[in-house]
Amino acid sequence: MKKTLSILLSFVMLLSITAGLNIQAYAKDIIVQAGTTTLTVKAEDKVVFTPKGSGTYVFQCINTVSGEDSEYLTLYHMVGDGNEDYMDSFYQKTNYDYINDKEYATSTSVYTSLEKGEDYCIYMGSAHSKMKLKITHKDSYSFATDVYVKAKSKLPSLAYGKKYKAPEFKVTVFKREFAQKDASYKKTDLKLSSTTLRKSTDSNYHETYAGVIKHSKKVSKNTKLKGEYYLLATFKLKDSSDKYFIPDCTRAEAFSSGNNLYGHGATKVTNKSVTFVYTIVANEFVKDGLLYSMDTPKTASVLGLSNKKLKNVKIKSKVNGAKVRNIGYFAFSKTKIKSASIPSTVTFIAYAAFADCNKLGDVKLPAKVKTIEGAAFAGCRSMKAFSISKKNKYYKTTDGVLYTKKNKTLVQYPAGKKGKKYNVESKTKVIDLCAFARTKNLKKVYIPKSVKEIYGSAFNESSVTDIYYAGTKKQWKKLKEYISKEELKKIKVHYNAKKL
């Protein structure tokens, strides 16, 4: 009993030296006053406190230390007879300070209404943690809840092989201001004071500012960008950090007209400034009106048009010394291109790469292409036929229709193909995604019993009016699992049918 009392008195003495605390009996350890009260919560502590005034209070974890990956601090309202009503939780996350070689944690901040004279308690369950906690009255506090970062330019200086030039930023912070009753939002713009570019020295993701600094090195402004970098953007604060709190792990969103600037999440906050870390992926560049991406030093992908007026696309076989292997997702989708020359180096054509190119004519596919994903050429209503090198080991065309070898999959029926009826080849097992989508002339399709799967949107917005299925109605029900009712709404299905 004496030992327990001694421990309790030691803890009370610790609390008494923190700012803004009045220590009373154990049942009411802390009197939370206007302004800020700071206390330390240790492992398995249950700290009881009483607000001196009613209103909104902010709970903010600071300078935390943890031996666990995560922890919850829980706030309860003491309602008498030892009973507690749950109110809220604070999530704590363990990070690592690589400079000082130690763990520390950051935590979410929450606000809640407390009543004057009522007893409340905070509890931490872990046996390996402690943290300092700020409890701040509404009249003394506001904090950033959302941070939006917008780049003013198209960021051409962040392209692969180009010299670095600091981009322009506009940062808008939405602060939560505490009025007499409810929290309100106030929009504030921050002024950019400086930017620094650093090159990562390893391939790991570092969540903290300290980790980023430890595992990167400063880059000269004359450096030609190749690969991934950290961009450190520092903004001046209009208020002190006590009144203007930005959590250490705020994930600020970066918007730009390019796809090479990403919010990282790590921040550094001082009384006068906040520094956000962004990841720059400098792997994109423009060549002859097309946008390319360096995947490795030896391979590249074409991502689409940089010149939207380009009508005849000629994809390079080699750019910056790298072979062009891939055509990216939605690369040319819904553009007004009329022709596309695909080099022999291409082995992969991604989903919807040329989808809905209504003016695109016939396409010749190269000998080395290994993968053509579903819907790659869906809805190209001017395309009448596919052709492919006879040397290709994976695909073939029959009467202009694209199949995998051995007829296992019907990949794409050209949407502009002439003729009102079509017989799917025997031994075909799969009809691929969007295979007959948005066809222009086709009315009747025969499907053999060999077909076991029809993928989604196969007949989406199709001109088809009748499907003639060689199997039974029961077999069709199993087959149409991935076809939506909307697709079949205007299509009549005939069973036990013969070839057209």
Side-chain angles (χ1 to χ4, degrees):
M1 181 65 185
K2 288 182 179 180
K3 185 176 180 180
T4 303
L5 183 58
S6 175
I7 294 172
L8 176 58
L9 288 173
S10 297
F11 177 63
V12 170
M13 288 177 67
L14 172 66
L15 293 177
S16 67
I17 64 173
T18 59
L21 299 182
N22 290 334
I23 304 302
Q24 294 187 353
Y26 177 67
K28 296 182 179 180
D29 286 349
I30 306 160
I31 304 296
V32 177
Q33 305 179 67
T36 298
T37 298
T38 306
L39 63 143
T40 299
V41 184
K42 288 185 175 181
E44 299 184 357
D45 276 346
K46 183 181 285 187
V47 180
V48 181
F49 65 93
T50 306
K52 195 171 182 180
S54 298
T56 303
Y57 289 79
V58 178
F59 292 79
Q60 171 195 347
C61 298
I62 57 171
N63 300 326
T64 52
V65 180
S66 174
E68 297 291 320
D69 288 337
S70 62
E71 181 57 272
Y72 280 93
L73 267 176
T74 310
L75 175 65
Y76 294 96
H77 181 200
M78 310 290 287
V79 293
D81 298 327
N83 295 319
E84 303 164 347
D85 280 349
Y86 169 82
M87 294 185 69
D88 218 326
S89 293
F90 315 81
Y91 180 74
Q92 177 187 345
K93 184 178 181 181
T94 299
N95 300 292
Y96 196 81
D97 183 339
Y98 289 91
I99 293 177
N100 298 311
D101 193 29
K102 66 178 183 179
E103 286 184 338
Y104 72 98
T106 54
S107 177
T108 55
S109 295
V110 298
Y111 71 98
T112 191
S113 295
L114 304 179
E115 296 295 328
K116 177 182 178 180
E118 292 290 309
D119 291 341
Y120 300 88
C121 75
I122 295 173
Y123 175 75
M124 185 195 293
S126 172
H128 304 285
S129 303
K130 66 178 180 179
M131 70 170 68
K132 287 184 179 179
L133 180 68
K134 271 188 181 180
I135 306 175
T136 311
H137 192 265
K138 60 180 173 58
D139 294 335
S140 309
Y141 197 81
S142 62
F143 68 98
T145 55
D146 297 289
V147 181
Y148 298 96
V149 180
K150 294 188 178 180
K152 290 181 179 179
S153 67
K154 294 182 179 180
L155 309 178
S157 58
L158 304 183
Y160 178 89
K162 297 290 184 181
K163 288 184 179 179
Y164 167 71
K165 182 181 178 182
E168 296 179 40
F169 283 100
K170 178 185 177 183
V171 175
T172 303
V173 179
F174 289 89
K175 292 169 59 180
R176 197 188 293 266
E177 302 283 356
F178 294 97
Q180 291 298 319
K181 293 183 179 180
D182 300 306
S184 61
Y185 292 95
K186 181 181 178 181
K187 188 169 75 170
T188 303
D189 291 333
L190 302 183
K191 184 178 180 181
L192 178 66
S193 61
S194 65
T195 59
T196 304
L197 190 70
R198 300 182 71 90
K199 177 71 173 175
S200 177
T201 55
D202 66 15
S203 58
N204 295 320
Y205 181 85
H206 301 285
E207 292 186 344
T208 66
Y209 182 87
V212 168
I213 298 299
K214 177 72 173 178
H215 294 275
S216 65
K217 61 182 180 180
K218 194 173 180 179
V219 173
S220 165
K221 289 184 178 180
N222 294 321
T223 299
K224 288 186 176 181
L225 303 179
K226 292 183 179 180
E228 291 193 12
Y229 298 81
Y230 295 119
L231 178 65
L232 279 57
T234 301
F235 301 88
K236 291 181 180 178
L237 294 179
K238 295 183 179 180
D239 306 314
S240 70
S241 59
D242 280 342
K243 289 190 174 184
Y244 189 79
F245 172 67
I246 298 177
D248 183 57
C249 280
T250 296
R251 184 166 292 279
E253 294 185 47
F255 297 93
S256 71
S257 56
N259 297 317
N260 51 6
L261 181 66
Y262 304 91
H264 181 281
T267 59
K268 179 183 179 182
V269 183
T270 69
N271 286 336
K272 296 182 179 180
S273 68
V274 56
T275 300
F276 293 106
V277 178
Y278 298 93
T279 301
I280 292 175
V281 183
N283 60 357
E284 297 176 7
F285 59 94
V286 173
K287 189 82 170 176
D288 297 333
L290 299 181
L291 180 65
Y292 291 90
S293 171
M294 293 292 289
D295 301 325
T296 72
K298 294 183 178 181
T299 62
S301 297
V302 59
L303 303 180
L305 298 178
S306 66
N307 179 2
K308 301 300 180 183
K309 295 181 179 179
L310 199 64
K311 297 292 188 291
N312 300 303
V313 170
K314 188 174 182 180
I315 300 170
K316 297 279 187 182
S317 60
K318 209 170 188 180
V319 288
N320 284 337
K323 290 183 177 180
V324 177
R325 294 293 192 194
N326 311 305
I327 300 177
Y329 296 95
F330 298 96
F332 301 98
S333 177
K334 296 184 179 181
T335 61
K336 296 179 181 180
I337 63 172
K338 293 181 178 180
S339 67
S341 173
I342 302 174
S344 60
T345 54
V346 168
T347 60
F348 178 85
I349 302 175
Y351 170 81
F354 294 91
D356 296 318
C357 292
N358 287 326
K359 295 184 178 182
L360 179 62
D362 297 352
V363 171
K364 185 174 182 179
L365 299 166
K368 293 182 180 179
V369 67
K370 296 179 180 180
T371 304
I372 302 172
E373 291 193 333
F377 294 92
C380 297
R381 305 192 77 190
S382 295
M383 186 183 293
K384 296 178 174 62
F386 288 98
S387 61
I388 192 167
S389 170
K390 291 181 180 179
K391 294 180 181 180
N392 190 286
K393 298 178 181 180
Y394 307 95
Y395 293 93
K396 70 169 191 174
T397 59
T398 303
D399 193 24
V401 180
L402 184 62
Y403 284 87
T404 58
K405 283 286 177 79
K406 298 182 181 179
N407 298 348
K408 287 186 177 181
T409 301
L410 191 163
V411 179
Q412 191 73 60
Y413 181 94
K417 180 177 170 62
K418 292 182 178 180
K420 295 187 177 182
K421 61 182 182 180
Y422 181 73
N423 292 308
V424 175
E425 292 204 344
S426 59
K427 297 183 181 180
T428 300
K429 293 183 177 180
V430 177
I431 294 177
D432 210 347
L433 189 73
C434 298
F436 293 96
R438 292 182 284 285
T439 51
K440 188 176 179 180
N441 304 306
L442 188 63
K443 298 295 181 183
K444 299 177 181 181
V445 177
Y446 167 79
I447 299 176
K449 282 199 291 186
S450 61
V451 173
K452 303 302 179 186
E453 290 182 288
I454 300 177
Y455 290 163
S457 300
F459 294 92
N460 185 45
E461 298 178 15
S462 174
S463 58
V464 173
T465 58
D466 293 86
I467 291 175
Y468 294 84
Y469 177 55
T472 64
K473 187 175 182 179
K474 186 177 180 181
Q475 289 172 319
W476 174 256
K477 283 184 177 180
K478 291 181 180 179
L479 187 61
K480 70 182 184 77
E481 180 182 355
Y482 301 110
I483 308 175
S484 68
K485 289 182 179 179
E486 189 65 29
E487 282 182 66
L488 296 176
K489 197 173 183 179
K490 297 180 181 180
I491 299 176
K492 184 177 180 180
V493 181
H494 308 265
Y495 309 107
N496 303 307
K498 295 182 179 181
K499 278 188 177 183
L500 301 172

